[in-house]
Amino acid sequence: MGATLRALRALVLLFGFYLLSLVLLAALVGLDIAVLTWTHGPAAVKIVIVSALLAIPVVQGMFMLRTPRGEEPAGVAVTETDEPRLWALVRELAATTGTRAPDRILLTADVNAAVSERSRLLGLLPGPRRLYLGVPLLTGLTEAQLRAVLAHEYGHFTGGDTRLSALVVRGRAQIGRVIGQFHAKADGKAATERARQEQASAKRVAKGKKAKKVDTGGAGATYRMMAAIYTAYGKLYLRASLSTARAQEYAADLAAARIAGRDATASALREIPVLATSHDFYLDSYATLGLPARLLPPRGEFFGGFGRLLSARETELVELRGELPTEPGSPYDSHPPIAERVRRIEALPADGRTEEAKGAASALLTDAQRTLAALEDAVLADEVLAFRRTGAWEELLDASMAEGLSCVHTPLHRALADYTGQQPTLTALLEVIDDGRLWRLAERLPLSEQAAAAKGRAFREFARPRLGESLRTMVLAEFSARSLLHWEFSWSRPAAVRLPGWASANTPGDGPEAALEAAVEAALADHPDTAPLRALLPPAAQPA
Amino acid sequence: MTVLLWILGILALPVVIAAVWFTGVFVKELFSPSPPDADQAAEAAEQLGLLPAERQDTEHAAPLPAPWAQALAAVQGGDWQPAAEVLRDIGRDWERRTTVTGLLGTLAAKEDAWLLAWEAARPEDPDAAVVRAQSTVYLAWELRGAKLAEYTTQEQFAGFRRTLTGAREEIARAAALNPDDPTPYITEIWVALGLGYPQAEMDKLWAEITTRAPHHFGAHLSALQYWCAKWRGSQQQAFDFAERAAAEAPLGSLLSVLPLIAHFEHDEPTEVAADNTPEMVARVDAGLADAAAADPEHPGLAQLRHLLAFYLHLQDRHEAALKQFKLVDGYVDALPWSYLGDGAAAYYCRVRNETVRAVAGAA
């Protein structure tokens, strides 16, 4: 089957979606007419009501195929006067690809670039175009790589393919969304999704300025049945159009390689998964570090620190770039595996354009600092924006850790309170250890099945790491409460705790941290000795 | 309506028959799980003075010498002195020293108050040190559990590796306190297995052992595990190791057990023909000659006899098999039974009773 024929088949299937709805509606109407013609009374009324209820999701389904409006992601809209160089690049690429430049550029906070078109009549008539461009991409890519990414996106509008395939690809996205919504409603997936989001980390609070409202109503049995019909049909459509969609991606990659150069395109493809992973890590470990303590990094740094993380961890990133995902995200994902896309691009003949536009893409921005600050205002929730700004990352780390330690509640705290019936303090714990009752206490820790079943030495060996972790935290909290603790901030390593008396000349083998490790170990030994730990504690924490 | 019932009735008939048959089989299995001639075989075995499964000792492969048994009982009561005495009396009999170290180490891996007392009383005692090292290695394996890697949790693996790593120091200390003793190095084989020493490291370790005790039974059993495909070697390497060691060892050293174990470890359990090849018959014959020439008090003799009994049975040499069974009956912590854990005694008795029946049938 040729590409055009395949596309035509998928298009027929797309119209079949409407046809299916119409047939279902016609069947319901026919049923009602038949019922009203031959029977009367309450039974007939009941059937008509049920059929009307059934018609609702069908009609909804038909309208769902339309692109939902007002779903614009949070971001900073930039005009040509704001960012002349970025606009110039975007226009130039559009001209080279032979397509229309976007009418609007929106800088977003995710690792993504997308061009959307509010087309009319199922995409047959053009509409306004928008370019969504993630600032982390500008931070992490070179200008040449950014050109490749944009050229790929434009490639979808021109392609090397028929106009029909473009329609098919757009249809895929919409049908995927319809199925998603049906699933969300029918399987009660919405509820679990919401639960997941509610217990989610501060990261999502920060990003969730425009959290989508999830509609969980109408999840009846009839609804489920309708959903099943649509889902089955949708999957059929997705499968029928998969090869077309994948061919589109490859064609767009080729267009990108032609416009931005082979090497820039291949390296951009390698770079994007790495940036996505790193950005997640950055948000988790750095940007949102202070949120539990209601603290924010300095203005512009919430997204601005990402660049510093990337340069500090360059060696790690080199390794990550080597490992490409070989599996597609899902069987219905229109994107072929990245590894395969990279392989195809790298198999192209060399074009001698390795040295083009090697500068950072962020240099395209007029004032990167101002953009990063504006992005915070646009993306972070108002509640988060009201948090206190710290003066520097070091201060943010110290304050967040101190706040975290001040209200820390380890499993050992709970076990101790449960065992002694008193306030779970370090003093109380050391007394229990000195009395030789540590292992009785350890039995109250939340333990794995294997640990709980173990006896004697094996039990102690299972419990020891958990005890050590909690005890160390309790000791650090004592120091922290007296402002004796300092945390060493680093873009390339996890934060390291510094106890009083620490000097940069200390090697890992000596110094107060090693002394703390040894003291914790001694306190949890088979013959426990709390003396080293007591000697280490700040004077005020010494038990009377 | 009647026609419909008829059709349904005819369709239902085979289902009903099947259901009745299944219920019958189920009830039969429930009330008499084994076929009746197995009971006869068990009775015949009992008449020969062989013990039923519930009276088999699943902790040992053979009865312990009285002083050893007393020492083990004493340490469980907290008294370490008899154990220290046993090890001192054994002196440089490395085979026995390794065996007793293993027995004491097993107990100390569970609870080690008595060992701590021993160490406190005699801080530089090489005997206490070697038991300490052995007990920590056993403790590590207890933390890991006996399940396949996929059923072992991260926590178990973490404890396993941490404890094995800690054991290396204790092994080095025990070796330093008694430089001629191969036992600490034999203990280290189980660290090598668990932590995955490279084969070059294993070769070095093996050289330390063979210069001290060239034909040590326990050492060879442990090293063979390392070379097995399921651990750090391959089927080829395991057989190479086993055949070479068996060929080089003098008669009576019991190393003829190694090819049998290599075969057992790499055997498809369903394939009986593989146990009947001329090669396997020759291996069993070599084992019989080896056992006949060995010191009857050799701590490894029972292990060889268990395997001989098993393979003689599989080779339909039931008379000879029964002879071996009679010599080891009562203690079943040995290959090929011990991998079944709680089922070891039952498995042993099933094969033994089968042998008894075959002998009775032939007579």
Side-chain angles (χ1 to χ4, degrees), chain B residues 6 8 52 57 68 82-83 91 95 110 119 139 143 156 164 186 198 202 234 248 257 274 282 320 323 341 351:
Chain B
W6 269 109
L8 279 179
D57 182 333
W68 297 12
E95 204 73 72
K110 295 192 171 77
E119 288 166 325
L139 172 64
L143 293 178
Q156 287 176 302
L164 278 185
I186 299 169
M202 179 62 190
S234 65
E248 285 170 3
V257 77
K323 221 164 132 190
V351 176

Side-chain angles (χ1 to χ4, degrees), chain A residues 455-466:
Chain A
K455 299 254 176 305
R457 273 179 91 185
F459 169 76
R460 299 200 290 269
E461 218 42 70
F462 269 126
R464 228 185 295 268
R466 206 159 290 225

Side-chain angles (χ1 to χ4, degrees), chain A residues 24-172:
Chain A
L24 284 173
L25 284 180
L28 289 173
V29 171
L31 178 75
D32 288 351
I33 290 171
V35 162
L36 290 175
T37 315
W38 286 306
T39 51
H40 295 281
V45 176
K46 215 180 235 172
I47 288 174
V48 170
I49 290 174
V50 168
S51 67
L53 283 177
L54 278 175
I56 293 172
V58 177
V59 175
Q60 271 183 340
M62 287 176 78
F63 284 103
M64 267 187 207
L65 259 190
R66 290 171 49 227
T67 315
R69 309 273 151 167
E71 242 187 44
E72 185 167 272
V76 183
V78 288
T79 62
E80 197 142 11
T81 24
D82 293 334
E83 301 292 352
R85 263 173 299 165
L86 182 61
W87 270 97
L89 174 79
V90 165
R91 286 192 193 289
E92 176 216 319
L93 285 172
T96 330
T97 9
T99 186
R100 203 152 49 80
D103 306 291
R104 201 166 133 84
I105 297 182
L106 200 70
L107 296 178
T108 61
D110 50 356
V111 185
N112 193 23
V115 181
S116 85
E117 181 168 350
R118 290 286 149 87
S119 53
R120 283 157 292 185
L121 270 182
L122 278 174
L124 291 174
L125 286 181
R129 271 186 194 178
R130 283 178 193 187
L131 168 64
Y132 301 106
L133 187 55
V135 172
L137 281 184
L138 294 175
T139 311
L141 296 180
T142 65
E143 195 185 321
Q145 287 170 332
L146 179 67
R147 291 169 67 94
V149 169
L150 293 177
H152 173 98
E153 289 305 317
Y154 285 135
H156 279 309
F157 284 91
T158 56
D161 222 322
T162 63
R163 182 146 186 97
L164 284 182
S165 332
L167 204 60
V168 170
V169 170
R170 211 161 314 148
R172 285 180 64 83

